[in-house]
Amino acid sequence: MKTDELINFLAAAEPALDRRWQLKRFALALLVGGAAALLMVALLFGIRADLVAVMGTWLFWAKVALPAGLLAAGLLLANRLGRPGVGAGLVGLMLLGVPLLGVWLGSAVVLLEAPADARLGMVLGKTWRDCPFNIALLSAPVFAAVVWALRGMAPTRLRLAGAAGGLLAGALATLTYTLHCPEMSVAFWGVWYVLGMLVPSVLGAALGPALLKW
């Protein structure tokens, strides 16, 4: 058998690579981590009693849109950065900026329209002391699952991959936290939700080299 024939034979015998295997790993990680975060919300904080009623308002879905948008951005970034030698990409960075810009512009509008003496209350709400900590706590099981997914993808940019994994975990944790959180001020979300998601992102960047090395 000639060399070319041997190569063709071996290539034909090789099973086809599933190009979606990375997304399947992330889907499993987010399913397991999200279920754990949801259970923690129910057991530690409780689901808000008026959830069904508030889900009928556009403001609730605006609140959900922030972590949902960052979840999509985090998934895209983690999927790219989990591959050897691949950077964040312009699309991923733009997708990251859209929900942040949206919530900050919305915050500016509502604060400018509000009386001066009401603005601080709109930013602080009633739970500003607890919100970032709660989100960071809920992100822990999601982050562990996301790290498992990333480790199987052999990333090379470990700090960036860790930060993307932390963002992904924080966004999903925030999404589950909306089922409990009573705050309905855009200005509140623009500060404390973002800070809550920033915590696991920074921790992911710091721990990435240790957790993702291979």
Side-chain angles (χ1 to χ4, degrees):
M1 181 180 290
K2 295 181 179 180
T3 303
D4 291 342
E5 293 175 344
L6 177 60
I7 293 174
N8 291 334
F9 174 78
L10 293 175
E14 185 69 21
L17 177 65
D18 184 357
R19 297 183 181 276
R20 296 176 296 176
W21 70 271
Q22 295 169 311
L23 292 178
K24 289 180 178 178
R25 285 183 70 89
F26 279 121
L28 179 59
L30 294 179
L31 179 63
V32 173
L38 185 60
L39 182 62
M40 290 174 66
V41 169
L43 294 179
L44 297 179
F45 310 124
I47 307 298
R48 57 183 296 175
D50 62 343
L51 180 62
V52 174
V54 80
M55 286 177 68
T57 67
W58 69 268
L59 197 56
F60 174 81
W61 296 107
K63 175 164 72 169
V64 168
L66 172 62
L70 291 174
L71 178 66
L75 181 58
L76 177 60
L77 290 170
N79 185 48
R80 287 184 56 87
L81 291 165
R83 290 176 281 172
V86 179
L90 181 60
V91 174
L93 295 177
M94 290 178 61
L95 189 60
L96 177 63
V98 168
L100 292 174
L101 183 60
V103 75
W104 289 335
L105 285 176
S107 300
V109 170
V110 298
L111 289 175
L112 288 174
E113 292 180 346
D117 58 353
R119 291 170 184 167
L120 182 60
M122 295 173 68
V123 173
L124 296 181
K126 297 179 180 179
T127 63
W128 67 273
R129 292 182 179 86
D130 302 323
C131 179
F133 171 79
N134 292 344
I135 290 174
L137 178 64
L138 293 173
S139 72
V142 189
F143 183 67
V146 170
V147 166
W148 166 82
L150 285 169
R151 284 179 61 88
M153 298 170 62
T156 54
R157 303 185 180 192
L158 302 185
R159 289 197 185 278
L160 288 177
L167 172 63
L168 187 56
L172 184 54
T174 306
L175 198 58
T176 62
Y177 187 65
T178 60
L179 301 179
H180 160 79
C181 180
E183 306 291 352
M184 299 298 285
S185 167
V186 180
F188 180 93
W189 316 329
V191 176
W192 307 108
Y193 276 18
V194 172
L195 182 59
M197 288 181 276
L198 183 63
V199 172
S201 301
V202 172
L203 288 176
L207 297 176
L211 296 177
L212 300 177
K213 64 181 179 180
W214 50 283

